[in-house]
Amino acid sequence: MSLTLAPDGQSPASDEAVPRLSLTVAAQPLTQQIANHIRDQIIHDGLKPGERIREQPISEQLRVSRTPIREALQILATERLVDILPNRGALVANPGVEDLRGMLKVYSMLDGLGGELACLSAQPVQVAEVERQYNLLQVAFEAKDRSAYFQANQAFHLGIVAGSGNPTLVEIHGQLNLRLYRTRYLAVMQIKDWTSAAYQHADILKAFLDRDGPLLNRLLQAHLGFAWRQAEGVVETPALASA
Amino acid sequence: MSLTLAPDGQSPASDEAVPRLSLTVAAQPLTQQIANHIRDQIIHDGLKPGERIREQPISEQLRVSRTPIREALQILATERLVDILPNRGALVANPGVEDLRGMLKVYSMLDGLGGELACLSAQPVQVAEVERQYNLLQVAFEAKDRSAYFQANQAFHLGIVAGSGNPTLVEIHGQLNLRLYRTRYLAVMQIKDWTSAAYQHADILKAFLDRDGPLLNRLLQAHLGFAWRQAEGVVETPALASA
DNA sequence: CGCCTGCGTATTGTCGACAATATGGAAAAT
DNA sequence: ATTTTCCATATTGTCGACAATACGCAGGCG
């Protein structure tokens, strides 16, 4: 879960135990680690929409100077997960219902396109992974484990898009997915009737296995539109709106 | 064109001539200005794909410390216009033909969706703007002014998408457009037969004015696919590939 | 009584310096 | 002659300090 960030964590006498071979996987840049850290907190609702993100507290918690933190915030701002107000700091992005509706429109289109392309070019190992996630989905559903259900649901859909073999599509789809992540998570955890949407996955999987691209495209878009209509009521949490 | 960046450019005695009223448009953050500066150079081919971007020369040219430059590079890396190799600097992104093909697939899908939505919710002023750009397009075409043609073509397509009223769509579409900008520009400037694609704009405009969403969607996607097939030959410039 | 002004403080923005890492080439070894 | 090692140099990465800006509140003014 949480990153082991502090660079002063000295493994005893490990200076020679871990020589700087080029074979060794290079540690991720500090800026990226920090961006990942903050991003995780945002999508998992540790940092609430509209909440102020101050640099100094993060600097102290992670034992890092403000410089890489500011670089990380620029990344997250470009991903539209935070808003940076010049000279007034960074806020967790707080999209309104209308914004979320617009994002979902684009997202479902990309999701459908991903499915359609995946029917053409998904590798067997990718198909198998999607099937595996479908089974996990069913297990979680029958166990009424919403958290596991959400996780498998994520992996199921992302797995299909990955099958498209289109890196740009995967990237943009994934970025929009992050923007919608928190809302979708809260929706899945809260809505009363989560049975209907769950059953749609069987048809989706079948279309995928049949490699029926156009059908899968339609099913995915309809599925997301349906899930959204169920979630819409939950969204009405204006979060922090002061003054 | 080029930014007036140097903060030492003292307009004589303008300290009181431009008081810091809240009505005054706040100057764009330095980081953004630098990002815009580098972005412009990339898409206009001043910085070539694969070329190294060193921080110090930029720092000297713009009379700015490296800190905001690094922040700008993080932004551009998130936009996939540059690649940052940890400890080894930033390069101008250099997508291969396969990458470009994948981007264009997503781009045309978004373009088509934008057109379809625009048929539903474009404001009269937006429709008028698209018509205006269409006329500029025709003028430039008849004058064989490829540069003006490209510019009007850009504004024409972006104008349609803007009519969708979906900020997320506009943003993602615009970002992909930037990634493809240089290639499209070089293609328009180089291809021999640029008459065929030009004529398609008449049908596109008509479908838009008729508010025929599905038709416009199909026309736009076909249009981009066509333009791409014409451009494909031009793309074969592997740029810098040393060692 | 409410609003405007001015100042102290908190926070962001920028900088120069130093540390860490990679690069290229000369010298040495095979 | 070729490869390897080692070092000087160039470049990126991180930091602490300072500058610039915004915020909140006390005091004064209409």
Side-chain angles (χ1 to χ4, degrees):
Chain A
M1 281 288 194
S2 57
L3 301 175
T4 56
L5 245 178
D8 51 325
Q10 298 145 329
S11 326
S14 65
D15 285 341
E16 280 305 310
V18 183
R20 271 66 176 172
L21 297 178
S22 48
L23 298 175
T24 309
V25 281
Q28 215 180 8
L30 195 48
T31 298
Q32 293 298 330
Q33 293 185 49
I34 298 171
N36 293 341
H37 179 76
I38 301 176
R39 191 186 296 113
D40 272 5
Q41 290 195 244
I42 292 176
I43 69 176
H44 292 120
D45 213 27
L47 290 167
K48 310 285 186 186
E51 184 175 346
R52 182 89 176 267
I53 304 178
R54 291 190 195 76
E55 296 164 4
Q56 205 174 58
I58 300 177
S59 167
E60 289 164 6
Q61 286 172 21
L62 303 185
R63 312 283 216 68
V64 166
S65 86
R66 285 170 49 226
T67 306
I69 296 175
R70 290 179 55 81
E71 291 178 0
L73 287 174
Q74 296 290 346
I75 292 174
L76 296 171
T78 308
E79 293 174 349
R80 297 288 187 269
L81 289 175
V82 316
D83 294 330
I84 294 183
L85 311 182
N87 285 317
R88 313 205 323 152
L91 308 181
V92 177
N94 187 14
V97 185
E98 203 52 46
D99 297 308
L100 292 171
R101 215 194 307 271
M103 284 183 219
L104 191 89
K105 183 72 192 173
V106 179
Y107 182 76
S108 13
M109 181 66 51
L110 295 173
D111 207 63
L113 174 62
E116 187 156 348
L117 294 179
C119 286
L120 297 175
S121 41
Q123 303 298 314
V125 56
Q126 295 173 311
V127 178
E129 172 63 13
V130 171
E131 274 194 279
R132 196 175 74 84
Q133 294 299 338
Y134 174 78
N135 290 329
L136 292 176
L137 196 72
Q138 292 303 326
V139 170
F141 178 69
E142 281 161 25
K144 299 191 197 310
D145 183 343
R146 291 185 184 223
S147 185
Y149 173 82
F150 178 78
Q151 196 177 338
N153 189 26
Q154 279 282 125
F156 179 76
H157 285 280
L158 293 182
I160 293 178
V161 175
S164 72
N166 185 326
T168 302
L169 177 56
V170 172
E171 172 205 322
I172 296 181
H173 178 273
Q175 200 162 310
L176 259 184
N177 183 51
L178 284 182
R179 286 214 238 172
L180 293 165
Y181 192 96
R182 169 187 166 274
T183 299
R184 298 220 292 165
Y185 181 76
L186 295 181
V188 166
M189 296 307 271
Q190 289 179 29
I191 56 177
K192 282 138 289 193
D193 179 23
W194 62 318
T195 61
S196 332
Y199 287 128
Q200 298 174 354
H201 288 116
D203 297 331
I204 290 173
L205 180 64
K206 182 170 188 309
F208 183 41
L209 295 178
D210 291 348
R211 303 276 178 161
D212 188 340
L215 175 62
L216 179 55
N217 192 332
R218 263 180 286 125
L219 288 178
L220 284 170
Q221 292 197 49
H223 173 65
L224 287 170
F226 180 83
W228 169 254
R229 277 189 297 281
Q230 286 215 317
E232 244 186 350
V234 180
V235 182
E236 310 298 338
T237 312
L240 318 186
S242 53
Chain B
M1 281 290 191
S2 56
L3 299 175
T4 56
L5 244 177
D8 51 324
Q10 298 145 330
S11 326
S14 66
D15 286 340
E16 280 305 312
V18 185
R20 271 65 177 172
L21 298 178
S22 48
L23 299 175
T24 309
V25 282
Q28 215 180 9
L30 195 49
T31 298
Q32 292 299 328
Q33 293 185 49
I34 298 171
N36 293 342
H37 178 77
I38 302 176
R39 191 187 296 112
D40 273 4
Q41 289 194 243
I42 292 176
I43 69 176
H44 292 121
D45 214 27
L47 291 167
K48 311 284 186 187
E51 183 175 345
R52 183 89 175 268
I53 303 178
R54 291 191 195 76
E55 296 165 5
Q56 207 174 59
I58 300 176
S59 167
E60 289 164 7
Q61 287 172 20
L62 302 185
R63 312 285 215 67
V64 166
S65 87
R66 285 172 47 226
T67 307
I69 296 175
R70 290 178 56 80
E71 291 178 359
L73 288 174
Q74 296 291 345
I75 291 173
L76 296 170
T78 308
E79 293 173 350
R80 297 290 187 267
L81 288 175
V82 316
D83 294 331
I84 293 182
L85 312 182
N87 286 317
R88 310 205 316 144
L91 308 180
V92 178
N94 188 14
V97 185
E98 203 52 46
D99 296 308
L100 291 172
R101 216 194 306 273
M103 284 183 219
L104 191 89
K105 183 71 190 172
V106 179
Y107 181 76
S108 9
M109 181 65 52
L110 295 173
D111 208 62
L113 175 62
E116 187 156 348
L117 295 179
C119 286
L120 297 175
S121 40
Q123 303 298 315
V125 56
Q126 294 173 312
V127 177
E129 171 63 14
V130 170
E131 274 194 278
R132 196 174 74 84
Q133 293 299 337
Y134 173 79
N135 291 328
L136 292 177
L137 196 72
Q138 292 303 327
V139 171
F141 178 69
E142 281 159 25
K144 300 191 197 310
D145 183 343
R146 292 187 182 222
S147 185
Y149 173 81
F150 178 78
Q151 196 178 339
N153 189 25
Q154 278 283 124
F156 179 76
H157 284 281
L158 293 183
I160 293 178
V161 175
S164 72
N166 185 325
T168 302
L169 177 56
V170 172
E171 171 205 323
I172 296 181
H173 177 273
Q175 201 163 310
L176 259 183
N177 183 51
L178 285 182
R179 286 214 239 172
L180 292 165
Y181 192 97
R182 170 187 167 275
T183 299
R184 299 219 293 164
Y185 182 76
L186 294 181
V188 166
M189 297 306 271
Q190 288 179 29
I191 57 176
K192 283 137 290 195
D193 179 24
W194 63 318
T195 62
S196 333
Y199 287 127
Q200 298 174 354
H201 288 117
D203 297 332
I204 290 174
L205 179 64
K206 181 170 188 309
F208 183 40
L209 294 178
D210 292 347
R211 303 278 177 159
D212 189 339
L215 175 62
L216 179 56
N217 192 333
R218 263 181 285 125
L219 288 178
L220 285 170
Q221 293 197 47
H223 173 65
L224 287 170
F226 180 83
W228 169 253
R229 277 189 296 281
Q230 286 214 315
E232 243 184 351
V234 180
V235 181
E236 310 298 337
T237 311
L240 320 185
S242 53

